[in-house]
Amino acid sequence: MKDKIILLLRKYREIIAYLIFGVLTTLVNIVVYFVASNLLGINYLILNFLAWFISVLFAYITNRAYVFESTSSQFIKEAIKFFGSRLTTGLIDMGLMWLLVSFTPIHDILIKILVNIIVIVLNYIFSKLFVFKEG
């Protein structure tokens, strides 16, 4: 039984690491927003952008090192691709939310959950195939 668990963990290591660091990225976003809002007292949209930027930076560093284990020496180019892909999925998130909330009878919380699942999958695919691709 122990051997089967170890084999499964090895087989799905990348996805498990992606999910773990995704949760941590979300926590970074919330903590940065909360701390900055209590310390800086500036507009919530600026704080939200700051929290997004820092959490995406955290996600890039952890995804590069621990999820996709990138050894590319072109980390600036990689980071630009990562931020660009996260900006793209952020726009997809906003567009899908607007479209589905505006034109379907589905409750917005259910739509938010569905859209977040789509965004998480797209972030993984973009990272795997575009940002941290080998070669």
Side-chain angles (χ1 to χ4, degrees), residues 6-134:
I6 291 172
L7 285 175
L8 283 173
L9 289 174
R10 284 185 184 150
K11 182 176 180 179
Y12 297 108
R13 184 209 63 77
E14 185 177 274
I15 292 171
I16 293 167
Y18 181 78
L19 292 173
I20 290 168
F21 287 108
V23 168
L24 291 174
T25 298
T26 301
L27 288 174
V28 166
N29 186 291
I30 292 166
V31 168
V32 167
Y33 183 89
F34 178 77
V35 170
S37 70
N38 286 317
L39 293 178
L40 301 177
I42 56 178
N43 183 280
Y44 73 95
L45 292 174
I46 295 170
L47 295 174
N48 194 51
F49 175 79
L50 176 68
W52 175 84
F53 182 84
I54 291 172
S55 64
V56 171
L57 182 60
F58 173 82
Y60 169 68
I61 292 167
T62 56
N63 276 237
R64 182 181 206 288
Y66 304 113
V67 177
F68 299 104
E69 299 175 336
S70 174
T71 57
S72 172
S73 61
Q74 297 188 3
F75 54 87
I76 302 252
K77 184 177 179 182
E78 212 175 54
I80 291 168
K81 286 182 183 180
F82 190 84
F83 272 83
S85 68
R86 292 299 167 108
L87 185 58
T88 299
T89 56
L91 293 173
I92 290 169
D93 182 342
M94 294 295 286
L96 285 175
M97 284 297 294
W98 172 79
L99 183 71
L100 295 173
V101 169
S102 297
F103 299 105
T104 69
I106 304 168
H107 194 279
D108 64 320
I109 297 298
L110 292 175
I111 291 171
K112 183 64 177 163
I113 292 168
L114 172 66
V115 169
N116 270 299
I117 291 168
I118 292 168
V119 166
I120 289 166
V121 171
L122 287 174
N123 280 338
Y124 179 80
I125 291 169
F126 288 169
S127 291
K128 179 81 173 167
L129 300 179
F130 178 63
V131 178
F132 299 109
K133 66 180 180 182
E134 295 178 24

